[in-house]
Amino acid sequence: GQSLEQPSEVTAVEGAIVQINCTYQTSGFYGLSWYQQHDGGAPTFLSYNALDGLEETGRFSSFLSRSDSYGYLLLQELQMKDSASYFCAGKDGGATNKLIFGTGTLLAVQP
Amino acid sequence: DTEVTQTPKHLVMGMTNKKSLKCEQHMGHRAMYWYKQKAKKPPELMFVYSYEKLSINESVPSRFSPECPNSSLLNLHLHALQPEDSALYLCASSHGAGQAQETQYFGPGTRLLVL
């Protein structure tokens, strides 16, 4: 099985850069995904890392280090609308369609 | 169309009621999922349907009964629920090809309150 740990809350100001960390323990690794969920809304896919390194998608980047069992989501030029919960997620290798979500990080962007 | 729809948006039911949650997608996805999410917690997987067959049941109590009538529809039948079952119920779908990276598309959820 897998477990993915994240900080529970992060606070930052508009225009700043923030990093949300995810450490995982897994018996098999099939990549790390990131999802965003606004309060009362549906989780939406942000990014995926299969291999070590940085993936960039606009203001959002995601990094993975498999040797350290660690990844992070980097949000640049923060906007108020980025206030949301962010979840890392990994696949359970024993069950191909099973996605395990991290504990989640609530990001509060302040003016 | 990259939308997953869910009805109803809100549901209040008593512990003796029977109700159903519905989910629909028209993206041609062959994997569909039910998740339960409590406030300030991550989504917890309940069921996975792959090609209209139940492939994963995460030891969910029998008072929750999933059904997949066809490749576009997914239902969750509820009966004799407990107050602790109150939560946001999310439906999701994905291509179902079993690739390592398979984005899941979530519906807006049904917020369920059991009295």
Side-chain angles (χ1 to χ4, degrees):
Chain A
Q2 294 195 26
S3 68
L4 301 98
E5 296 291 326
Q6 301 176 236
S8 58
E9 294 185 17
V10 172
T11 302
V13 297
E14 263 187 306
I17 299 172
V18 73
Q19 179 174 311
I20 298 174
N21 299 322
C22 174
T23 56
Y24 61 87
Q25 294 182 342
T26 177
S27 57
F29 182 76
Y30 292 81
L32 194 68
S33 298
W34 288 92
Y35 285 77
Q36 177 192 59
Q37 185 178 26
H38 285 99
D39 190 27
T44 55
F45 172 78
L46 289 177
S47 186
Y48 172 74
N49 294 74
L51 303 174
D52 292 354
L54 195 67
E55 292 285 338
E56 298 181 68
T57 310
R59 293 188 298 115
F60 294 0
S61 303
S62 57
F63 173 82
L64 176 66
S65 169
R66 288 174 295 170
S67 60
D68 296 322
S69 297
Y70 164 74
Y72 65 73
L73 180 69
L74 192 72
L75 297 84
Q76 302 182 74
E77 300 173 20
L78 279 175
Q79 302 175 10
M80 297 295 289
K81 67 178 182 179
D82 297 328
S83 294
S85 291
Y86 292 84
F87 297 96
C88 58
K91 268 203 170 180
D92 184 325
T96 310
N97 294 109
K98 183 173 176 179
L99 199 62
I100 308 296
F101 283 85
T103 51
T105 300
L106 179 62
L107 171 64
V109 180
Q110 296 178 341
Chain B
D1 184 3
T2 58
E3 191 179 23
V4 176
T5 58
Q6 290 187 243
T7 55
K9 288 187 178 179
H10 301 275
L11 179 62
V12 180
M13 60 187 290
M15 289 188 284
T16 58
N17 292 157
K18 284 185 181 181
K19 296 286 184 183
S20 296
L21 309 184
K22 296 187 183 300
C23 174
E24 190 166 4
Q25 57 87 15
H26 295 286
M27 295 178 276
H29 289 171
R30 303 311 298 271
M32 295 186 77
Y33 311 78
W34 281 115
Y35 288 87
K36 173 182 177 181
Q37 186 176 28
K38 291 279 206 179
K40 300 187 187 301
K41 297 291 186 183
E44 293 178 35
L45 183 66
M46 299 174 72
F47 303 103
V48 180
Y49 272 83
S50 180
Y51 291 81
E52 294 119 72
K53 295 276 193 298
L54 183 64
S55 61
I56 297 175
N57 176 341
E58 289 289 286
S59 303
V60 179
S62 60
R63 57 185 184 269
F64 295 91
S65 175
E67 179 197 19
C68 190
N70 60 56
S71 60
S72 299
L73 294 174
L74 186 66
N75 299 322
L76 186 63
H77 303 296
L78 314 173
H79 173 55
L81 294 194
Q82 303 297 310
E84 59 264 28
D85 297 322
S86 299
L88 181 67
Y89 288 84
L90 293 162
C91 173
S93 70
S94 69
H95 283 290
Q99 297 176 347
Q101 197 283 316
E102 197 166 293
T103 301
Q104 292 192 13
Y105 296 83
F106 285 81
T110 294
R111 193 161 297 280
L112 174 67
L113 177 62
V114 182
L115 300 176

